[in-house]
Amino acid sequence: GEDVEQSLFLSVREGDSSVINCTYTDSSSTYLYWYKQEPGAGLQLLTYIFSNMDMKQDQRLTVLLNKKDKHLSLRIADTQTGDSAIYFCAEIRGTGRRALTFGSGTRLQVQP
Amino acid sequence: EAGVVQSPRYKIIEKKQPVAFWCNPISGHNTLYWYRQNLGQGPELLIRYENEEAVDDSQLPKDRFSAERLKGVDSTLKIQPAELGDSAVYLCASSLEASGGYEQYFGPGTRLTVT
């Protein structure tokens, strides 16, 4: 995941908003994703955005894409303790290849 | 609808032994992926199947890893012989090409420990 970078750790208080950031390097990225991984579990697809969009909202989740700066963010409103997990940013490059390229993940800790 | 099923969930083996992982994708999903996730990192693709054809295996260490998806449904990933560095979580994912293939759904993974 060296082409997709994320900060390692974020701690927030319950009820606050969380913002998890990601930067990527490949300008051919077509889709950008956020996955959630809880301990001992697989990856849960949270949301994704097409590269010609700059925002997508889904209930408590808001994704912002700045294509010029190659910056993706995930905002979680009213963060709950159940949101504690590792969040992975990922991308698909081009239109032919379907493999996801992941970042190393951001561990979100929600304090009561 | 059942998700992606993987077995076993955990496997501990000694180095130089063989090991196999099994995956059953979501019903109707024609694209199947095997990823490897090392500790503290994101998953990395090993191989991708479109139906029974391996269309992207450039990252698969072919000297010791093999995979098959004989009838375009279930898949098996094998390592022979295993090395200490193969300790990781092996994740299977599937997607539906007809809807663009952009939503990949992951199974719970198999955690392999090589001693």
Side-chain angles (χ1 to χ4, degrees):
Chain A
E2 62 187 22
D3 295 334
V4 179
E5 294 191 357
Q6 304 178 237
S7 53
L8 288 178
F9 184 76
L10 175 66
S11 180
V12 300
R13 286 193 175 278
E14 191 173 19
D16 288 351
S17 291
S18 307
V19 179
I20 303 172
N21 295 302
C22 169
T23 58
Y24 59 98
T25 58
D26 198 313
S27 58
S28 70
S29 297
T30 51
Y31 282 86
L32 294 125
Y33 298 76
W34 287 104
Y35 279 85
K36 175 183 179 183
Q37 188 173 39
E38 296 181 84
L43 279 79
Q44 175 191 353
L45 176 61
L46 289 178
T47 186
Y48 62 99
I49 188 169
F50 187 48
S51 58
N52 69 352
M53 300 171 62
D54 51 21
M55 188 183 85
K56 181 178 180 180
Q57 189 157 359
D58 185 0
Q59 299 182 342
R60 292 191 298 123
L61 306 179
T62 302
V63 178
L64 295 178
L65 174 61
N66 182 327
K67 197 172 181 181
K68 173 177 173 290
D69 294 338
K70 299 187 179 66
H71 182 266
L72 183 74
S73 68
L74 174 70
R75 179 177 180 269
I76 306 172
D78 187 25
T79 312
Q80 303 297 307
T81 54
D83 295 324
S84 293
I86 299 176
Y87 291 80
F88 289 95
C89 170
E91 60 173 352
I92 281 182
R93 299 172 181 175
T95 55
R97 194 160 187 265
R98 295 287 189 265
L100 290 163
T101 299
F102 285 86
S104 295
T106 298
R107 180 178 296 276
L108 174 65
Q109 181 181 69
V110 182
Q111 298 178 1
Chain B
E1 179 183 279
V4 177
V5 179
Q6 291 188 247
S7 69
R9 290 296 313 277
Y10 305 92
K11 190 75 176 177
I12 301 174
I13 61 171
E14 294 183 347
K15 63 181 180 182
K16 300 184 182 179
Q17 294 301 305
V19 64
F21 315 124
W22 176 81
C23 172
N24 182 254
I26 292 173
S27 178
H29 282 197
N30 56 319
T31 305
L32 184 146
Y33 313 74
W34 283 103
Y35 288 84
R36 177 169 60 186
Q37 185 178 19
N38 292 315
L39 189 63
Q41 298 181 20
E44 294 181 326
L45 182 76
L46 291 173
I47 190 167
R48 174 168 71 97
Y49 281 93
E50 297 285 351
N51 300 304
E52 63 274 8
E53 181 183 359
V55 296
D56 185 353
D57 63 357
S58 58
Q59 302 303 311
L60 189 72
K62 297 182 184 65
D63 56 336
R64 296 183 301 107
F65 286 64
S66 64
E68 60 183 15
R69 193 185 185 200
L70 293 175
K71 296 184 179 179
V73 180
D74 296 3
S75 176
T76 302
L77 177 69
K78 297 179 182 177
I79 308 175
Q80 183 171 10
E83 297 179 352
L84 294 176
D86 296 331
S87 294
V89 176
Y90 291 82
L91 293 162
C92 179
S94 69
S95 66
L96 182 60
E97 191 64 23
S99 63
Y102 295 112
E103 295 181 7
Q104 290 186 29
Y105 296 93
F106 284 78
T110 297
R111 181 177 296 275
L112 174 67
T113 302
V114 182
T115 63

